[in-house]
Amino acid sequence: MDTISRGSTGRRGRRSERRRSERRRSASRWVTAGVLAVLAAAAGWLALSGGTVWPLALVAALAVAAGVAGWAGWTLGVAAGVVVPLTAESSAVHVFPPLRLGLVIGDAVLLLAVAAAGLALLLPARRFRLPRRGAWLGLAVASPVPVALGVFFALLPTVRDGHALSWAMRNDAVWNLVTARFILTDDGLVPDLHPNPSPLTAVLLAAGMAPGRPGSDAPGLLQHDIAGMAGVLALSTIAAALLAGLVAARMVSPAHPVLRSLGAVLASALIASWLVAGFTFQLGFYNAMPTIACLLACWLAWLGSARRPAVAIAVLLVGATALLALWAFLALIPAALAAAAALRWLVVRGERRRVRIGWGGWIAVALAAVQLAAYVLLFSLPDLTREAGALSQGGTMAPVTPALLFVLLGIGLALAGATATRPAARSELLGVAAIAVAATAAYLYLGREVRPGAYGWGYYPAKLVWFSGILLLVVVLGLALDRVARVPLGVWSRVAAVAGTVVALVAVAASVLPKPPQPGALVPYLDIAGGTGVASGDDVLGTLFALPDPAAAKTMVVGYEDWRAEGFLNSWLLGASATDDRDPIREYAYSLNTTDREAVCDAVRAWGDGVVIRTRVADLARQLQAQCPAVRVTVVVGAIR
């Protein structure tokens, strides 16, 4: 009798504990949903009132993350929170013009809808729980570098009279401004007017430029737009650094918090280094940080695929769509990861018994597959047909070599393969193999399209290597530190293994630098703070912003500053006046040498009537008349105020 009584008491106690746990989960679910709903309402009001849209974007991402986490855990939730809003934006921008919503209203309505969808997923998710202690610790160790970046960028507007902007104005930045302005003037993407095969970057920049934007003929328009672009670049750099830290923290065993913290800090620092952030700033690659964030989110989705394959596949397919709108050939990576997850579930013995997919999972996969197919058929294929010749063109690129990709692939496969004794390790091996297949296929295709002399071994293959190498550096770092953490080693042996990992990472990051190895060559922020190097154009921004907006007037400077400063000024004065990607003035924006008077005459001819040249050279008009008497141009001598 006593045994029966004790057994009954134990069962009642377990049932009581389960009920208390369910009540706690229910309370946390409703509280989370309520807080997110209030935040969405406040951020939506701010966006609809003409304020910044980024608080609403953050709330929408958190709502999606919480909604997916309620069904599949926070690893997949975070991944979905990154890729779902980006994919929704890349598709919706095609719909804004026919609906006459405008970008500001359209973005606000879209993000409110995304937040509502996330809450609709969250409310019925009975298994929802707030992140556990380990997840919060992972976030904490991933945050120091992003927080430091946030403080740095927040203080920049107080430096040099608000003209600390030239770090965000290099090379391709000019064309990024033009494409973002097309989005604003067209109230979305209209391919017949301004085709753009990778529109998501322009959409994000336009969203940053829209709040408080002056009229087209108002003074200060160019400075406002560039400041908005710089804000987007800063925010996306912070987000990518945070995601890199989260990926590394997720990959290293939580039983070794020191190594986990080291991995998170190093991964975040990698994104902030010259190899990633420095070349992004120097080359004006505004699509780089959103692309890297998407790639990292897709790897997070892969890490969650063993337990929730259907949700992971759906997130990966959505991530592929986002990458199609950012840098299309990288979409092969999440597509390959999704295929690997599907094949593992279908082929590996016991997987279907271990993980059963319910009707909700099948619906998620079907919806994700349909949206990807629709995007490819409606947008990507027409863009690829229209822009087919662009793949053979050259461009300025970081001096990377194919070794960055293939050496890291080899190291990743070796690390994962040599230790694939646990299910999680075998999953990492399969994931690295999927990346290897996708990256190699894309590399071979892009390499075949290269025309001789375009950029050594090709601009697009080089950029593919750079993007893929950044993802693999984070993955290999997580693999290496996790293996060091799990192998039984003595204290000094473990210290030596960790030191070797750190030295290898820094050596790879420092092997592709724009100048000799010095502290400023490892990170770009000393240059930005001092107004040198990548930020050396700050001292002439007062001149640029005092001139009429390039879209409203044809202005050129010749003999006004030294040749470097004039090259920077004219890259904006000429390049930002372009009316489409085939405008002949774009070539001169990149290459005009103002000390060559014949080149100046050629640029004026390409630009057409109405050109005004500002100069300090008293007889410049006579020089140009002698060089090209048939060219009509107005020369104004004197200071620009």
Side-chain angles (χ1 to χ4, degrees):
M1 181 69 69
D2 291 342
T3 302
I4 295 174
S5 176
R6 284 196 297 271
S8 300
T9 302
R11 285 193 295 272
R12 285 196 296 271
R14 287 192 293 272
R15 286 196 296 268
S16 177
E17 179 59 31
R18 281 197 298 269
R19 285 194 292 269
R20 285 195 296 270
S21 177
E22 289 173 0
R23 285 196 293 269
R24 286 195 297 268
R25 290 186 183 185
S26 178
S28 65
R29 183 173 77 248
W30 284 100
V31 169
T32 301
V35 169
L36 288 172
V38 171
L39 291 175
W45 175 84
L46 176 65
L48 290 169
S49 301
T52 178
V53 76
W54 303 126
L56 181 55
L58 176 60
V59 174
L62 291 174
V64 171
V68 173
W71 299 93
W74 280 99
T75 297
L76 286 167
V78 171
V82 174
V83 301
V84 169
L86 291 175
T87 298
E89 189 74 63
S90 64
S91 298
V93 71
H94 294 84
V95 180
F96 292 164
L99 294 180
R100 301 182 183 276
L101 284 176
L103 186 70
V104 173
I105 302 298
D107 274 345
V109 171
L110 173 69
L111 291 172
L112 284 170
V114 170
L119 294 177
L121 276 176
L122 173 61
L123 290 176
R126 295 184 178 276
R127 289 182 295 181
F128 174 81
R129 65 172 65 195
L130 292 172
R132 296 179 180 177
R133 181 172 176 270
W136 288 114
L137 289 175
L139 176 62
V141 298
S143 296
V145 172
V147 168
L149 288 174
V151 172
F152 178 83
F153 287 126
L155 293 176
L156 270 187
T158 67
V159 178
R160 295 189 285 280
D161 297 325
H163 288 168
L165 290 170
S166 64
W167 63 275
M169 298 175 63
R170 296 291 172 180
N171 288 292
D172 287 355
V174 181
W175 183 242
N176 279 295
L177 174 121
V178 174
T179 57
R181 285 182 164 186
F182 289 159
I183 296 289
L184 287 170
T185 55
D186 297 342
D187 288 329
L189 180 62
V190 183
D192 291 339
L193 291 177
H194 300 112
N196 190 336
S198 303
L200 189 48
T201 303
V203 173
L204 296 174
L205 293 177
M209 291 157 54
R213 192 168 189 257
S216 59
D217 56 348
L221 176 61
L222 182 62
Q223 182 174 0
H224 170 90
D225 285 353
I226 292 172
M229 290 173 58
V232 173
L233 186 53
L235 288 174
S236 59
T237 301
I238 293 167
L242 180 61
L243 274 167
L246 289 175
V247 168
R250 173 64 174 75
M251 293 184 69
V252 180
S253 171
H256 292 79
V258 173
L259 293 182
R260 197 182 190 204
S261 302
L262 178 64
V265 171
L266 285 175
S268 297
L270 171 70
I271 303 301
S273 72
W274 249 111
L275 177 65
V276 185
F279 284 120
T280 296
F281 303 158
Q282 185 183 53
L283 302 175
F285 289 164
Y286 274 80
N287 65 342
M289 292 302 177
T291 300
I292 292 165
C294 274
L295 288 172
L296 293 168
C298 289
W299 182 253
L300 270 182
W302 171 257
L303 294 178
S305 65
R307 293 186 176 183
R308 294 288 185 271
V311 177
I313 291 169
V315 173
L316 286 165
L317 294 178
V318 173
T321 306
L323 286 167
L324 282 173
L326 284 165
W327 210 79
F329 290 97
L330 290 172
L332 290 176
I333 290 178
L337 291 172
L343 287 173
R344 178 176 57 191
W345 186 81
L346 290 169
V347 174
V348 176
R349 182 181 300 175
E351 279 293 301
R352 279 180 284 179
R353 289 195 300 273
R354 185 181 66 85
V355 181
R356 296 188 180 275
I357 298 177
W359 62 268
W362 290 113
I363 290 175
V365 171
L367 290 175
V370 167
Q371 65 82 32
L372 175 58
Y375 193 92
V376 169
L377 293 173
L378 294 176
F379 308 127
S380 295
L381 287 180
D383 288 338
L384 184 61
T385 302
R386 183 171 50 242
E387 304 289 332
L391 294 179
S392 64
Q393 295 177 3
T396 304
M397 182 57 208
V400 295
T401 69
L404 179 67
L405 171 61
F406 294 106
V407 168
L408 287 171
L409 280 175
I411 294 172
L413 289 169
L415 275 173
T419 58
T421 56
R422 299 173 293 109
R426 289 192 291 272
S427 177
E428 289 165 343
L429 172 60
L430 182 59
V432 175
I435 293 174
V437 171
T440 302
Y443 175 82
L444 293 174
Y445 175 81
L446 291 172
R448 190 187 68 176
E449 297 294 315
V450 175
R451 71 182 181 210
Y455 165 74
W457 50 285
Y459 168 79
Y460 284 100
K463 201 164 185 180
L464 173 80
V465 164
W466 185 62
F467 276 133
S468 304
I470 292 164
L471 171 64
L472 286 167
L473 272 171
V474 176
V475 171
V476 167
L477 173 66
L479 286 171
L481 291 178
D482 181 66
R483 288 353 181 224
V484 171
R486 293 180 185 277
V487 174
L489 295 172
V491 173
W492 290 110
S493 297
R494 196 180 302 278
V495 169
V498 171
T501 301
V502 173
V503 169
L505 174 74
V506 174
V508 172
S511 66
V512 186
L513 292 175
K515 53 188 177 182
Q518 299 168 353
L522 295 176
V523 292
Y525 310 102
L526 297 178
D527 282 355
I528 296 174
T532 59
V534 73
S536 60
D538 286 351
D539 55 348
V540 296
L541 289 186
T543 299
L544 177 64
F545 297 146
L547 292 167
D549 189 276
K554 298 177 181 179
T555 309
M556 183 190 303
V557 292
V558 177
Y560 192 87
E561 301 280 358
D562 67 79
W563 67 273
R564 290 182 186 274
E566 285 192 356
F568 176 74
L569 289 170
N570 284 324
S571 71
W572 281 89
L573 293 170
L574 278 63
S577 72
T579 55
D580 58 49
D581 61 343
R582 293 178 176 82
D583 193 321
I585 200 60
R586 289 191 66 205
E587 178 183 349
Y588 295 95
Y590 283 100
S591 62
L592 177 63
N593 176 10
T594 54
T595 63
D596 182 348
R597 298 298 186 246
E598 181 59 35
V600 172
C601 292
D602 289 342
V604 173
R605 291 190 193 97
W607 216 352
D609 295 335
V611 177
V612 175
I613 294 180
R614 303 299 299 266
T615 185
R616 299 182 194 271
V617 179
D619 65 340
L620 179 63
R622 182 189 59 78
Q623 295 178 24
L624 293 176
Q625 180 65 26
Q627 187 71 44
C628 43
V631 171
R632 291 183 296 176
V633 62
T634 301
V635 177
V636 178
V637 181
I640 298 172
R641 293 185 176 86

